[in-house]
Amino acid sequence: MSRRGWIYALPVLLFVGLMAGFYYGLQIDSTVLPSALIDEPAPRFDLPPLPGHEPGFSSADLSGHVSLVNTFASWCTPCRAEHPILTALAATKRVAIYGIDYKDKQEAALAWIAALGNPYTRIGADNGRVGIDWGVYGVPETFVVDRQGRIRYKHVGPLTQADLDRTILPLVAQLER
Amino acid sequence: MITEIGHFSLVLALCVAVLQASLPLYGAARGEAALIAWARPAALAQFLFVAIAFGALMHAYAVSDFSLANVAANSNSLKPLLYKLSGVWSNHEGSMLLWVFILALFGAAVAAFSRNLPPALRARVLAVQAMIGVGFLLFILLTSNPFQRLWPAPADGMGLNPVLQDPGLAFHPPWLYLGYVGFSISFCFAIAALIEGRVDPAWARWVRPWTLAAWCALTIGIAMGSWWAYYTLGWGGWWFWDPVENASFMPWLVGTALLHSAVVVEKREALKTWTILLAIIAFSLSLVGTFLVRSGVLTSVHAFASDPLRGVFILLLLSIYTGGALLLFAWRAPQLQGGGLFAPISREGGLLLNNLLLTTAAATVFIGTLYPLLLDVVAHRKVSVGPPFYTMTFVPIMVPLLVAMAIGPMLPWKRGDLIAALARLKFAFLATALAALVTLAVTGAQSIGAACGLSLAAWLFAATLTELAERVRLFAEPRGVLRRALSLPRAAWGMTLAHGGMAVVIAGITGSNAWTEERIVTARPGDNFAIAGYTIALDAVNEVTGADYTATRADLRLIRNGHQVAALHPEKRFYPVENGNSTGVAIRTNLLSDIYAVIGDGDGKGGYVLRLYWNPLVPWIWLGAVVMALGGVISLTDRRHRVGAPVRRARAVAATTVQAAE
């Protein structure tokens, strides 16, 4: 091998680095997004209601009790998948669920709620502005908010029963203690 | 029953592939002719078995056999036959089977059409190809089996995502895969050359048609994908720099570089190791593309189908193939004999510059696509990289590339004279200046960017024509031009068309970026709207029923100077089975510009949201892409690919004749 032989090994070395990156990329559970807002007070907002589901939803609603804040939209297929889990949870009255209807059309959202059921204590219609404050990356996302109105946990993607049983409900119980 | 035959046939294909991957390689190393001869029939048999499996899945979709989990999840009895069949590759399992089918198809093509290849080289190429086949057949059988039965069988299927029910998308994946997988042949040739320790002009000439075929298919596939995005997504845009698009664009950029560097190997025996490396990278990027799209690494948040096990499996395959190839490269490439020297200003120099710019462009797209992933790994932060990044990085790379693309073909091999070449381009300079001035005069000084884009396109187009004119001696000797034009090598015509097509694409991109007009209005029947000198009248909005959807359909009239030019019928479709919507965009094109209309939701009071666009020069993007692909096809029919000219012993003679022909 000549003195410049190392240059031929460069591609394979770069490739090994890349593969390591890919491998770690696969390990990261992409549904656990770190949020800059964890342990920070929830942003202040005051969202208008969907017609027929008054009143709207504002940051004042969140203090005094532990709650879940769920972003959803009628155009979002994963939201449809997690919806039965939310309605079942709402039926148990275990914890208050608030909804942020994210970048949605009013009629479509109303039809969606009418067809699939309404698990939400209150719903606020957001044109996207409040979503930015919450650091919404894509719907659905679910936040756990404590009694003081601080965000304690963020779940990205559709909720499964396992997520509820293993992570969210234990956390709610812990925060209520 | 047919399903089980398909499944069984896939297992048989795996067995054949295992033999094809091992015996010929061993035979080539030991010089045992019987084992070497194994490669061809094995490649044909492997193709036959994969084809049976693929046919079985097609059959299941055609007859709507919902006892197959894959069919039940992705098809529906109400769908038109075309979309039943295209449903085969609209999902993960089926598209992986299509991938392997095309891989085996290319293997069989090499077996069938390369009688003039030395048997040992052919055996090695086919063996390496079979190694890839083994990996992906295992992947399908172990993690993504499309022949999984479902019991009890549902009465009807869940349907296909409405957005995918479109003729453009029905044919887009097969073309794309022809391109992706076609690069596997260049890859196999590169590995075989590394094993043999020999790269020579004959090798470059054998590898070139396969690269060219893959490149043409990929060009068409990408163009189709962007055309589909343009007319079905309903945003008026045609390229969004999303990871899936980038995944197809990166192999295209590197494949384009490979096409050009292979020319240097063929004509001048230079850039050998670089060409080998490009062949490895082009196919590796195809694999990365498959990995990114199929593992859900990048689109994870919303990707339902993402499955970490599959991701790890594809990652493993990628590590084995690319990692193995690059290790082999590190070991063997230093021993390859260097080739002819050349001055920086020369045809070779121009092609090298092309290579550097194209690979830099590919690296840029690569970084833009993977940066979010790497940042997530390193710093646990989520970001997304959008069009501004690409505009900032891509344009500065493309501008010198386009400038050089015009000059390169004017330079002779070995050593050229830049000043003399530029002097021969005086008409191109004139055209450039004219394009800039006319653009500024017509549209005003604020469209300076557009003027630059159009003058670049004019520069490239005029220079390409100049080069052609010189080749046929249009001005020097006008008599007999036609005869000389017809007797030009097809490869020369191919280059002219491909470069000219590129100029047309650049003009289209410039026009669509600079002058698109958009109007979003709430309209009631009877309303009129003006856009770009046209009037659009909304006559009525009706509810109509299609094969498996219902739609809100607008009747629009496109009027110019009081005369009706066309009737436009944009639709907003609702698919009850899939419970989803799709947009039926209405487009009226006159090949210079498009009028593009989309109907949105009603406001419940008789008004509807209408989005109207005037997209100037946009049709040229696809027109140019088709011309480019056509250039590739014509180059593919060049005599030197058809005639078994490149015999290694006679290569000195062959090289001289080629140079004489230039």
Side-chain angles (χ1 to χ4, degrees), chain A residues 1 8 15 18-19 22 26 30 33-34 78 80 105 137-139 156, chain B residues 297 300-302 315 318 322-323 329-330 334 373 380 382 579 601:
Chain A
M1 202 178 272
Y8 295 99
F15 179 74
L18 184 69
M19 285 300 101
F22 276 162
L26 275 177
S30 51
L33 271 183
R80 187 174 289 268
K105 298 196 180 81
Y137 183 83
V139 278
V156 176
Chain B
V297 159
S300 48
V301 175
H302 299 220
L315 194 62
L318 183 63
T322 305
F329 177 82
L373 175 70
H380 298 283
K382 298 272 177 186
N579 198 5
D601 288 311

PDB file of all heavy atoms in Angstrom, chain A residues 1 8 15 18-19 22 26 30 33-34 78 80 105 137-139 156, chain B residues 297 300-302 315 318 322-323 329-330 334 373 380 382 579 601:
ATOM      1  N   MET A   1       0.841  -1.202   0.000  1.00  0.00           N
ATOM      2  CA  MET A   1       0.000   0.000   0.000  1.00  0.00           C
ATOM      3  C   MET A   1       0.880   1.257   0.000  1.00  0.00           C
ATOM      4  O   MET A   1       1.859   1.340   0.730  1.00  0.00           O
ATOM      5  CB  MET A   1      -0.900  -0.017   1.245  1.00  0.00           C
ATOM      6  CG  MET A   1      -2.125   0.844   1.093  1.00  0.00           C
ATOM      7  SD  MET A   1      -3.175   0.754   2.560  1.00  0.00           S
ATOM      8  CE  MET A   1      -4.214  -0.645   2.175  1.00  0.00           C
ATOM      9  N   TYR A   8      -7.768   5.635   0.685  1.00  0.00           N
ATOM     10  CA  TYR A   8      -8.721   4.641   0.194  1.00  0.00           C
ATOM     11  C   TYR A   8      -9.538   4.044   1.328  1.00  0.00           C
ATOM     12  O   TYR A   8     -10.585   3.440   1.105  1.00  0.00           O
ATOM     13  CB  TYR A   8      -7.985   3.528  -0.564  1.00  0.00           C
ATOM     14  CG  TYR A   8      -7.324   4.010  -1.823  1.00  0.00           C
ATOM     15  CD1 TYR A   8      -5.975   4.306  -1.856  1.00  0.00           C
ATOM     16  CD2 TYR A   8      -8.073   4.205  -2.977  1.00  0.00           C
ATOM     17  CE1 TYR A   8      -5.373   4.777  -3.008  1.00  0.00           C
ATOM     18  CE2 TYR A   8      -7.485   4.664  -4.133  1.00  0.00           C
ATOM     19  CZ  TYR A   8      -6.132   4.952  -4.149  1.00  0.00           C
ATOM     20  OH  TYR A   8      -5.554   5.419  -5.300  1.00  0.00           O
ATOM     21  N   PHE A  15     -18.151   5.614   6.610  1.00  0.00           N
ATOM     22  CA  PHE A  15     -19.344   4.775   6.573  1.00  0.00           C
ATOM     23  C   PHE A  15     -19.627   4.152   7.939  1.00  0.00           C
ATOM     24  O   PHE A  15     -20.777   4.086   8.376  1.00  0.00           O
ATOM     25  CB  PHE A  15     -19.176   3.689   5.510  1.00  0.00           C
ATOM     26  CG  PHE A  15     -20.330   2.750   5.413  1.00  0.00           C
ATOM     27  CD1 PHE A  15     -21.515   3.152   4.835  1.00  0.00           C
ATOM     28  CD2 PHE A  15     -20.247   1.468   5.920  1.00  0.00           C
ATOM     29  CE1 PHE A  15     -22.589   2.291   4.760  1.00  0.00           C
ATOM     30  CE2 PHE A  15     -21.313   0.594   5.852  1.00  0.00           C
ATOM     31  CZ  PHE A  15     -22.488   1.006   5.265  1.00  0.00           C
ATOM     32  N   LEU A  18     -21.270   6.624  10.047  1.00  0.00           N
ATOM     33  CA  LEU A  18     -22.652   6.826   9.635  1.00  0.00           C
ATOM     34  C   LEU A  18     -23.550   5.696  10.148  1.00  0.00           C
ATOM     35  O   LEU A  18     -24.656   5.926  10.646  1.00  0.00           O
ATOM     36  CB  LEU A  18     -22.700   6.891   8.112  1.00  0.00           C
ATOM     37  CG  LEU A  18     -24.056   7.190   7.521  1.00  0.00           C
ATOM     38  CD1 LEU A  18     -24.448   8.611   7.848  1.00  0.00           C
ATOM     39  CD2 LEU A  18     -24.037   6.967   6.027  1.00  0.00           C
ATOM     40  N   MET A  19     -23.032   4.467  10.026  1.00  0.00           N
ATOM     41  CA  MET A  19     -23.830   3.318  10.470  1.00  0.00           C
ATOM     42  C   MET A  19     -24.096   3.399  11.968  1.00  0.00           C
ATOM     43  O   MET A  19     -25.184   3.077  12.439  1.00  0.00           O
ATOM     44  CB  MET A  19     -23.093   2.007  10.146  1.00  0.00           C
ATOM     45  CG  MET A  19     -23.124   1.615   8.698  1.00  0.00           C
ATOM     46  SD  MET A  19     -24.796   1.381   8.073  1.00  0.00           S
ATOM     47  CE  MET A  19     -25.032   2.894   7.226  1.00  0.00           C
ATOM     48  N   PHE A  22     -26.858   5.765  12.412  1.00  0.00           N
ATOM     49  CA  PHE A  22     -28.139   5.146  12.048  1.00  0.00           C
ATOM     50  C   PHE A  22     -28.612   4.208  13.144  1.00  0.00           C
ATOM     51  O   PHE A  22     -29.785   4.168  13.494  1.00  0.00           O
ATOM     52  CB  PHE A  22     -27.986   4.346  10.750  1.00  0.00           C
ATOM     53  CG  PHE A  22     -28.116   5.169   9.515  1.00  0.00           C
ATOM     54  CD1 PHE A  22     -27.642   4.704   8.302  1.00  0.00           C
ATOM     55  CD2 PHE A  22     -28.732   6.405   9.545  1.00  0.00           C
ATOM     56  CE1 PHE A  22     -27.766   5.445   7.143  1.00  0.00           C
ATOM     57  CE2 PHE A  22     -28.858   7.154   8.395  1.00  0.00           C
ATOM     58  CZ  PHE A  22     -28.362   6.675   7.204  1.00  0.00           C
ATOM     59  N   LEU A  26     -32.005   4.410  15.321  1.00  0.00           N
ATOM     60  CA  LEU A  26     -33.079   3.413  15.446  1.00  0.00           C
ATOM     61  C   LEU A  26     -33.410   3.155  16.906  1.00  0.00           C
ATOM     62  O   LEU A  26     -34.534   2.815  17.247  1.00  0.00           O
ATOM     63  CB  LEU A  26     -32.643   2.099  14.799  1.00  0.00           C
ATOM     64  CG  LEU A  26     -32.851   1.975  13.309  1.00  0.00           C
ATOM     65  CD1 LEU A  26     -32.313   0.652  12.833  1.00  0.00           C
ATOM     66  CD2 LEU A  26     -34.323   2.086  12.958  1.00  0.00           C
ATOM     67  N   SER A  30     -38.638   7.235  18.961  1.00  0.00           N
ATOM     68  CA  SER A  30     -38.963   8.538  18.410  1.00  0.00           C
ATOM     69  C   SER A  30     -40.257   9.088  18.992  1.00  0.00           C
ATOM     70  O   SER A  30     -40.590  10.235  18.784  1.00  0.00           O
ATOM     71  CB  SER A  30     -39.079   8.432  16.908  1.00  0.00           C
ATOM     72  OG  SER A  30     -39.945   7.379  16.605  1.00  0.00           O
ATOM     73  N   LEU A  33     -40.240  12.461  22.660  1.00  0.00           N
ATOM     74  CA  LEU A  33     -39.521  13.649  22.253  1.00  0.00           C
ATOM     75  C   LEU A  33     -39.182  14.434  23.498  1.00  0.00           C
ATOM     76  O   LEU A  33     -40.045  14.695  24.312  1.00  0.00           O
ATOM     77  CB  LEU A  33     -40.419  14.520  21.386  1.00  0.00           C
ATOM     78  CG  LEU A  33     -40.413  14.272  19.905  1.00  0.00           C
ATOM     79  CD1 LEU A  33     -41.310  15.290  19.248  1.00  0.00           C
ATOM     80  CD2 LEU A  33     -39.023  14.381  19.358  1.00  0.00           C
ATOM     81  N   PRO A  34     -37.941  14.829  23.645  1.00  0.00           N
ATOM     82  CA  PRO A  34     -37.648  15.695  24.766  1.00  0.00           C
ATOM     83  C   PRO A  34     -38.311  17.037  24.479  1.00  0.00           C
ATOM     84  O   PRO A  34     -38.394  17.450  23.330  1.00  0.00           O
ATOM     85  CB  PRO A  34     -36.138  15.829  24.729  1.00  0.00           C
ATOM     86  CG  PRO A  34     -35.767  15.557  23.319  1.00  0.00           C
ATOM     87  CD  PRO A  34     -36.803  14.652  22.762  1.00  0.00           C
ATOM     88  N   PRO A  78     -53.397   9.072  12.777  1.00  0.00           N
ATOM     89  CA  PRO A  78     -53.024   8.498  14.080  1.00  0.00           C
ATOM     90  C   PRO A  78     -53.955   8.960  15.213  1.00  0.00           C
ATOM     91  O   PRO A  78     -54.180   8.217  16.174  1.00  0.00           O
ATOM     92  CB  PRO A  78     -51.602   9.015  14.292  1.00  0.00           C
ATOM     93  CG  PRO A  78     -51.085   9.288  12.937  1.00  0.00           C
ATOM     94  CD  PRO A  78     -52.255   9.740  12.139  1.00  0.00           C
ATOM     95  N   ARG A  80     -57.101   9.386  15.002  1.00  0.00           N
ATOM     96  CA  ARG A  80     -58.261   8.507  14.923  1.00  0.00           C
ATOM     97  C   ARG A  80     -57.951   7.195  15.634  1.00  0.00           C
ATOM     98  O   ARG A  80     -58.804   6.622  16.314  1.00  0.00           O
ATOM     99  CB  ARG A  80     -58.578   8.250  13.446  1.00  0.00           C
ATOM    100  CG  ARG A  80     -59.833   7.504  13.174  1.00  0.00           C
ATOM    101  CD  ARG A  80     -60.070   7.470  11.665  1.00  0.00           C
ATOM    102  NE  ARG A  80     -60.442   8.771  11.151  1.00  0.00           N
ATOM    103  CZ  ARG A  80     -61.703   9.173  11.032  1.00  0.00           C
ATOM    104  NH1 ARG A  80     -62.687   8.387  11.393  1.00  0.00           N
ATOM    105  NH2 ARG A  80     -61.981  10.360  10.554  1.00  0.00           N
ATOM    106  N   LYS A 105     -60.306  22.275  10.383  1.00  0.00           N
ATOM    107  CA  LYS A 105     -61.472  22.997   9.911  1.00  0.00           C
ATOM    108  C   LYS A 105     -62.620  22.711  10.874  1.00  0.00           C
ATOM    109  O   LYS A 105     -62.826  21.565  11.271  1.00  0.00           O
ATOM    110  CB  LYS A 105     -61.851  22.536   8.504  1.00  0.00           C
ATOM    111  CG  LYS A 105     -60.744  22.808   7.516  1.00  0.00           C
ATOM    112  CD  LYS A 105     -61.245  22.721   6.094  1.00  0.00           C
ATOM    113  CE  LYS A 105     -60.125  23.005   5.120  1.00  0.00           C
ATOM    114  NZ  LYS A 105     -59.254  21.825   4.885  1.00  0.00           N
ATOM    115  N   TYR A 137     -44.977  19.356  17.587  1.00  0.00           N
ATOM    116  CA  TYR A 137     -44.115  18.927  16.487  1.00  0.00           C
ATOM    117  C   TYR A 137     -44.966  18.270  15.422  1.00  0.00           C
ATOM    118  O   TYR A 137     -44.682  18.302  14.250  1.00  0.00           O
ATOM    119  CB  TYR A 137     -43.097  17.966  17.067  1.00  0.00           C
ATOM    120  CG  TYR A 137     -42.046  17.442  16.134  1.00  0.00           C
ATOM    121  CD1 TYR A 137     -40.907  18.191  15.858  1.00  0.00           C
ATOM    122  CD2 TYR A 137     -42.171  16.183  15.566  1.00  0.00           C
ATOM    123  CE1 TYR A 137     -39.931  17.700  15.031  1.00  0.00           C
ATOM    124  CE2 TYR A 137     -41.190  15.691  14.736  1.00  0.00           C
ATOM    125  CZ  TYR A 137     -40.071  16.449  14.462  1.00  0.00           C
ATOM    126  OH  TYR A 137     -39.095  15.958  13.640  1.00  0.00           O
ATOM    127  N   GLY A 138     -46.056  17.654  15.844  1.00  0.00           N
ATOM    128  CA  GLY A 138     -46.987  17.020  14.922  1.00  0.00           C
ATOM    129  C   GLY A 138     -48.079  16.421  15.774  1.00  0.00           C
ATOM    130  O   GLY A 138     -47.819  16.045  16.911  1.00  0.00           O
ATOM    131  N   VAL A 139     -49.292  16.381  15.262  1.00  0.00           N
ATOM    132  CA  VAL A 139     -50.363  15.781  16.050  1.00  0.00           C
ATOM    133  C   VAL A 139     -50.355  14.280  15.822  1.00  0.00           C
ATOM    134  O   VAL A 139     -49.951  13.848  14.731  1.00  0.00           O
ATOM    135  CB  VAL A 139     -51.736  16.368  15.681  1.00  0.00           C
ATOM    136  CG1 VAL A 139     -51.949  17.679  16.387  1.00  0.00           C
ATOM    137  CG2 VAL A 139     -51.866  16.517  14.190  1.00  0.00           C
ATOM    138  N   VAL A 156     -45.348  11.927  22.223  1.00  0.00           N
ATOM    139  CA  VAL A 156     -45.566  12.249  20.811  1.00  0.00           C
ATOM    140  C   VAL A 156     -46.091  11.026  20.083  1.00  0.00           C
ATOM    141  O   VAL A 156     -45.613   9.916  20.313  1.00  0.00           O
ATOM    142  CB  VAL A 156     -44.253  12.705  20.163  1.00  0.00           C
ATOM    143  CG1 VAL A 156     -44.453  12.936  18.678  1.00  0.00           C
ATOM    144  CG2 VAL A 156     -43.765  13.978  20.816  1.00  0.00           C
TER     145      VAL A 156
ATOM    146  N   VAL B 297     -36.908   5.782  10.118  1.00  0.00           N
ATOM    147  CA  VAL B 297     -35.981   6.527  10.962  1.00  0.00           C
ATOM    148  C   VAL B 297     -36.267   8.026  10.900  1.00  0.00           C
ATOM    149  O   VAL B 297     -36.246   8.722  11.903  1.00  0.00           O
ATOM    150  CB  VAL B 297     -34.528   6.256  10.531  1.00  0.00           C
ATOM    151  CG1 VAL B 297     -33.603   7.348  11.002  1.00  0.00           C
ATOM    152  CG2 VAL B 297     -34.060   4.946  11.106  1.00  0.00           C
ATOM    153  N   SER B 300     -40.391   9.056  11.539  1.00  0.00           N
ATOM    154  CA  SER B 300     -40.907   8.191  12.586  1.00  0.00           C
ATOM    155  C   SER B 300     -42.177   8.699  13.264  1.00  0.00           C
ATOM    156  O   SER B 300     -43.055   7.920  13.555  1.00  0.00           O
ATOM    157  CB  SER B 300     -39.832   7.979  13.624  1.00  0.00           C
ATOM    158  OG  SER B 300     -39.285   9.228  13.960  1.00  0.00           O
ATOM    159  N   VAL B 301     -42.252  10.003  13.501  1.00  0.00           N
ATOM    160  CA  VAL B 301     -43.334  10.489  14.340  1.00  0.00           C
ATOM    161  C   VAL B 301     -44.696  10.029  13.836  1.00  0.00           C
ATOM    162  O   VAL B 301     -45.549   9.622  14.595  1.00  0.00           O
ATOM    163  CB  VAL B 301     -43.294  12.016  14.435  1.00  0.00           C
ATOM    164  CG1 VAL B 301     -44.494  12.534  15.196  1.00  0.00           C
ATOM    165  CG2 VAL B 301     -42.027  12.434  15.154  1.00  0.00           C
ATOM    166  N   HIS B 302     -44.863  10.060  12.528  1.00  0.00           N
ATOM    167  CA  HIS B 302     -46.192   9.752  12.025  1.00  0.00           C
ATOM    168  C   HIS B 302     -46.239   8.466  11.213  1.00  0.00           C
ATOM    169  O   HIS B 302     -47.253   8.131  10.635  1.00  0.00           O
ATOM    170  CB  HIS B 302     -46.723  10.912  11.181  1.00  0.00           C
ATOM    171  CG  HIS B 302     -46.842  12.158  11.980  1.00  0.00           C
ATOM    172  ND1 HIS B 302     -47.874  13.027  11.862  1.00  0.00           N
ATOM    173  CD2 HIS B 302     -46.063  12.652  12.940  1.00  0.00           C
ATOM    174  CE1 HIS B 302     -47.709  14.023  12.707  1.00  0.00           C
ATOM    175  NE2 HIS B 302     -46.602  13.817  13.368  1.00  0.00           N
ATOM    176  N   LEU B 315     -30.607  -2.094   7.990  1.00  0.00           N
ATOM    177  CA  LEU B 315     -29.337  -1.498   8.397  1.00  0.00           C
ATOM    178  C   LEU B 315     -28.221  -2.539   8.321  1.00  0.00           C
ATOM    179  O   LEU B 315     -27.112  -2.263   7.884  1.00  0.00           O
ATOM    180  CB  LEU B 315     -29.460  -0.954   9.820  1.00  0.00           C
ATOM    181  CG  LEU B 315     -28.351  -0.021  10.280  1.00  0.00           C
ATOM    182  CD1 LEU B 315     -28.329   1.219   9.408  1.00  0.00           C
ATOM    183  CD2 LEU B 315     -28.543   0.376  11.726  1.00  0.00           C
ATOM    184  N   LEU B 318     -27.372  -3.081   4.745  1.00  0.00           N
ATOM    185  CA  LEU B 318     -26.603  -1.927   4.282  1.00  0.00           C
ATOM    186  C   LEU B 318     -25.162  -2.037   4.770  1.00  0.00           C
ATOM    187  O   LEU B 318     -24.211  -1.802   4.014  1.00  0.00           O
ATOM    188  CB  LEU B 318     -27.267  -0.657   4.813  1.00  0.00           C
ATOM    189  CG  LEU B 318     -26.678   0.683   4.410  1.00  0.00           C
ATOM    190  CD1 LEU B 318     -26.785   0.877   2.922  1.00  0.00           C
ATOM    191  CD2 LEU B 318     -27.407   1.811   5.127  1.00  0.00           C
ATOM    192  N   THR B 322     -22.551  -2.296   1.721  1.00  0.00           N
ATOM    193  CA  THR B 322     -21.732  -1.095   1.538  1.00  0.00           C
ATOM    194  C   THR B 322     -20.434  -1.216   2.335  1.00  0.00           C
ATOM    195  O   THR B 322     -19.351  -0.923   1.829  1.00  0.00           O
ATOM    196  CB  THR B 322     -22.509   0.152   1.969  1.00  0.00           C
ATOM    197  OG1 THR B 322     -23.721   0.180   1.244  1.00  0.00           O
ATOM    198  CG2 THR B 322     -21.725   1.395   1.690  1.00  0.00           C
ATOM    199  N   GLY B 323     -20.564  -1.653   3.584  1.00  0.00           N
ATOM    200  CA  GLY B 323     -19.369  -1.811   4.410  1.00  0.00           C
ATOM    201  C   GLY B 323     -18.395  -2.788   3.761  1.00  0.00           C
ATOM    202  O   GLY B 323     -17.198  -2.505   3.643  1.00  0.00           O
ATOM    203  N   PHE B 329     -12.746  -2.048  -1.226  1.00  0.00           N
ATOM    204  CA  PHE B 329     -12.195  -0.884  -1.923  1.00  0.00           C
ATOM    205  C   PHE B 329     -10.904  -0.420  -1.232  1.00  0.00           C
ATOM    206  O   PHE B 329      -9.897  -0.164  -1.886  1.00  0.00           O
ATOM    207  CB  PHE B 329     -13.228   0.237  -1.942  1.00  0.00           C
ATOM    208  CG  PHE B 329     -12.753   1.504  -2.579  1.00  0.00           C
ATOM    209  CD1 PHE B 329     -12.776   1.656  -3.958  1.00  0.00           C
ATOM    210  CD2 PHE B 329     -12.271   2.550  -1.808  1.00  0.00           C
ATOM    211  CE1 PHE B 329     -12.337   2.821  -4.552  1.00  0.00           C
ATOM    212  CE2 PHE B 329     -11.824   3.722  -2.400  1.00  0.00           C
ATOM    213  CZ  PHE B 329     -11.858   3.857  -3.776  1.00  0.00           C
ATOM    214  N   ALA B 330     -10.954  -0.317   0.099  1.00  0.00           N
ATOM    215  CA  ALA B 330      -9.781   0.147   0.838  1.00  0.00           C
ATOM    216  C   ALA B 330      -8.604  -0.799   0.624  1.00  0.00           C
ATOM    217  O   ALA B 330      -7.448  -0.388   0.585  1.00  0.00           O
ATOM    218  CB  ALA B 330     -10.106   0.256   2.330  1.00  0.00           C
ATOM    219  N   PRO B 334      -5.917   0.638  -3.922  1.00  0.00           N
ATOM    220  CA  PRO B 334      -4.558   1.174  -4.088  1.00  0.00           C
ATOM    221  C   PRO B 334      -3.746   0.396  -5.109  1.00  0.00           C
ATOM    222  O   PRO B 334      -2.775   0.917  -5.658  1.00  0.00           O
ATOM    223  CB  PRO B 334      -3.951   1.032  -2.693  1.00  0.00           C
ATOM    224  CG  PRO B 334      -5.105   0.937  -1.767  1.00  0.00           C
ATOM    225  CD  PRO B 334      -6.199   0.264  -2.540  1.00  0.00           C
ATOM    226  N   LEU B 373     -31.487  13.711  11.942  1.00  0.00           N
ATOM    227  CA  LEU B 373     -31.274  12.430  12.616  1.00  0.00           C
ATOM    228  C   LEU B 373     -30.008  12.487  13.478  1.00  0.00           C
ATOM    229  O   LEU B 373     -30.004  12.090  14.641  1.00  0.00           O
ATOM    230  CB  LEU B 373     -31.150  11.326  11.571  1.00  0.00           C
ATOM    231  CG  LEU B 373     -30.795   9.947  12.122  1.00  0.00           C
ATOM    232  CD1 LEU B 373     -31.968   9.392  12.890  1.00  0.00           C
ATOM    233  CD2 LEU B 373     -30.401   9.012  11.001  1.00  0.00           C
ATOM    234  N   HIS B 380     -29.865  15.192  21.072  1.00  0.00           N
ATOM    235  CA  HIS B 380     -31.251  14.970  21.467  1.00  0.00           C
ATOM    236  C   HIS B 380     -32.130  16.175  21.174  1.00  0.00           C
ATOM    237  O   HIS B 380     -32.942  16.585  21.982  1.00  0.00           O
ATOM    238  CB  HIS B 380     -31.336  14.595  22.944  1.00  0.00           C
ATOM    239  CG  HIS B 380     -30.612  13.324  23.220  1.00  0.00           C
ATOM    240  ND1 HIS B 380     -31.118  12.095  22.902  1.00  0.00           N
ATOM    241  CD2 HIS B 380     -29.410  13.106  23.757  1.00  0.00           C
ATOM    242  CE1 HIS B 380     -30.249  11.170  23.230  1.00  0.00           C
ATOM    243  NE2 HIS B 380     -29.196  11.745  23.752  1.00  0.00           N
ATOM    244  N   LYS B 382     -34.694  17.989  18.228  1.00  0.00           N
ATOM    245  CA  LYS B 382     -35.448  17.721  17.005  1.00  0.00           C
ATOM    246  C   LYS B 382     -35.471  18.982  16.155  1.00  0.00           C
ATOM    247  O   LYS B 382     -35.859  20.038  16.622  1.00  0.00           O
ATOM    248  CB  LYS B 382     -36.886  17.326  17.354  1.00  0.00           C
ATOM    249  CG  LYS B 382     -36.992  16.072  18.170  1.00  0.00           C
ATOM    250  CD  LYS B 382     -37.071  14.847  17.288  1.00  0.00           C
ATOM    251  CE  LYS B 382     -37.100  13.605  18.152  1.00  0.00           C
ATOM    252  NZ  LYS B 382     -37.032  12.385  17.372  1.00  0.00           N
ATOM    253  N   ASN B 579     -62.237   6.285   4.190  1.00  0.00           N
ATOM    254  CA  ASN B 579     -62.574   7.438   5.005  1.00  0.00           C
ATOM    255  C   ASN B 579     -61.532   8.533   4.826  1.00  0.00           C
ATOM    256  O   ASN B 579     -61.012   9.095   5.788  1.00  0.00           O
ATOM    257  CB  ASN B 579     -62.695   7.032   6.468  1.00  0.00           C
ATOM    258  CG  ASN B 579     -63.467   8.087   7.244  1.00  0.00           C
ATOM    259  OD1 ASN B 579     -63.967   9.044   6.661  1.00  0.00           O
ATOM    260  ND2 ASN B 579     -63.546   7.916   8.540  1.00  0.00           N
ATOM    261  N   ASP B 601     -63.074  23.396   0.693  1.00  0.00           N
ATOM    262  CA  ASP B 601     -64.331  23.145   1.390  1.00  0.00           C
ATOM    263  C   ASP B 601     -65.345  24.240   1.136  1.00  0.00           C
ATOM    264  O   ASP B 601     -65.002  25.378   0.831  1.00  0.00           O
ATOM    265  CB  ASP B 601     -64.063  23.055   2.887  1.00  0.00           C
ATOM    266  CG  ASP B 601     -63.356  21.770   3.207  1.00  0.00           C
ATOM    267  OD1 ASP B 601     -63.826  20.727   2.744  1.00  0.00           O
ATOM    268  OD2 ASP B 601     -62.322  21.830   3.888  1.00  0.00           O
TER     269      ASP B 601
END
